[in-house]
CSV table of all heavy atoms in Angstrom, one decimal:
chain,number,residue,atom,x,y,z
A,107,HIS,N,115.5,102.5,106.6
A,107,HIS,CA,115.7,103.9,106.9
A,107,HIS,C,117.1,104.4,106.8
A,107,HIS,O,117.3,105.5,106.2
A,107,HIS,CB,115.1,104.1,108.4
A,107,HIS,CG,115.3,105.4,108.9
A,107,HIS,ND1,114.4,106.4,108.8
A,107,HIS,CD2,116.4,106.0,109.6
A,107,HIS,CE1,114.8,107.5,109.4
A,107,HIS,NE2,116.0,107.3,109.9
A,111,HIS,N,118.9,107.3,104.1
A,111,HIS,CA,119.7,108.4,104.5
A,111,HIS,C,121.0,108.4,103.6
A,111,HIS,O,121.5,109.5,103.2
A,111,HIS,CB,120.2,108.3,105.9
A,111,HIS,CG,119.3,108.9,106.9
A,111,HIS,ND1,119.1,110.3,107.0
A,111,HIS,CD2,118.6,108.4,107.9
A,111,HIS,CE1,118.3,110.5,108.0
A,111,HIS,NE2,117.9,109.4,108.6
A,155,TYR,N,126.7,108.5,109.5
A,155,TYR,CA,125.3,108.6,109.8
A,155,TYR,C,125.1,108.9,111.3
A,155,TYR,O,125.3,108.0,112.1
A,155,TYR,CB,124.6,107.3,109.4
A,155,TYR,CG,123.1,107.2,109.8
A,155,TYR,CD1,122.3,108.3,109.7
A,155,TYR,CD2,122.5,106.0,110.2
A,155,TYR,CE1,121.0,108.2,110.0
A,155,TYR,CE2,121.2,105.9,110.5
A,155,TYR,CZ,120.4,107.1,110.4
A,155,TYR,OH,119.1,107.0,110.8
A,157,SER,N,122.6,110.1,113.8
A,157,SER,CA,121.2,110.5,114.1
A,157,SER,C,120.9,110.2,115.6
A,157,SER,O,121.8,110.0,116.4
A,157,SER,CB,120.2,109.7,113.2
A,157,SER,OG,120.0,108.4,113.7
A,313,ASP,N,115.0,113.0,109.7
A,313,ASP,CA,114.1,112.0,109.2
A,313,ASP,C,113.1,112.7,108.3
A,313,ASP,O,112.5,113.7,108.7
A,313,ASP,CB,113.4,111.3,110.4
A,313,ASP,CG,114.4,110.4,111.1
A,313,ASP,OD1,115.6,110.3,110.6
A,313,ASP,OD2,114.1,109.9,112.2
B,2,LIG,MG1,117.2,108.9,110.8
Side-chain angles (χ1 to χ4, degrees):
H107 173 92
H111 272 292
Y155 175 38
S157 81
D313 289 352

